[in-house]
Amino acid sequence: MRTEYKIFAGVAVFLFGASVVYGFYTHGATGHLEWIGTVALILSGLLCSMCGGFFWFVARRIDLRPEDREDGEIAEGAGEIGFFSPGSYWPFGIALSATIAGLGLVFWLWWLLALGLIMVIASSSAMIFEYYTGTRHPAEH
């Protein structure tokens, strides 16, 4: 995780620096600050900072992985990584739902926006619980 937080922190520093340069450049060229690009760069830097902070937080609590060590071997990372769905149609459903919600937002149709958000929640929940089998039973008293 150390590599990941360093990458995100580096990108965040770049984005914050780019927002300062962009702000000065647009103010010098046009006489006023161009707010949309400046705010977009700042928000992008904050997003990268948030991801980098999460990876830094996690990296402090786990042991070094083979890819984080200088002497790590490829074979040390072998084994089961996790379960990956071989094929699922739910990402398409989430994208379709987000498109409907986005159209509701663009045209400011509150009912379409509400429908799209409900569909996003439903399709996201369906994807999360797609492989849930319900085999866990509460202990009988």
Side-chain angles (χ1 to χ4, degrees):
M1 294 286 174
R2 300 191 194 299
T3 305
E4 289 89 347
Y5 87 74
K6 289 177 184 177
I7 290 172
F8 276 102
V11 172
V13 168
F14 170 77
L15 288 169
F16 288 133
S19 68
V20 170
V21 170
Y22 183 80
F24 280 122
Y25 181 77
T26 57
H27 182 68
T30 62
H32 65 281
L33 181 65
E34 199 279 313
W35 285 102
I36 296 174
T38 306
V39 171
L41 286 169
I42 291 170
L43 290 176
S44 298
L46 288 173
L47 180 63
C48 287
S49 298
M50 184 179 67
C51 294
F54 171 76
F55 285 130
W56 173 75
F57 183 78
V58 170
R60 289 183 23 205
R61 284 162 173 67
I62 64 172
D63 294 331
L64 284 176
R65 300 176 302 165
E67 54 265 26
D68 292 329
R69 296 191 330 254
E70 291 291 330
D71 63 340
E73 296 291 329
I74 294 175
E76 292 179 71
E80 184 176 335
I81 296 174
F83 175 75
F84 299 96
S85 177
S88 174
Y89 293 108
W90 286 115
F92 177 75
I94 294 172
L96 182 65
S97 304
T99 301
I100 291 171
L103 286 172
L105 187 62
V106 166
F107 295 113
W108 201 241
L109 300 172
W110 65 270
W111 59 272
L112 190 60
L113 177 62
L115 176 70
L117 291 176
I118 291 169
M119 288 173 61
V120 165
I121 291 169
S123 57
S124 299
S125 299
M127 187 172 91
I128 289 171
F129 294 114
E130 182 174 14
Y131 292 103
Y132 178 71
T133 59
T135 56
R136 185 174 172 184
H137 300 287
E140 296 181 15
H141 292 65

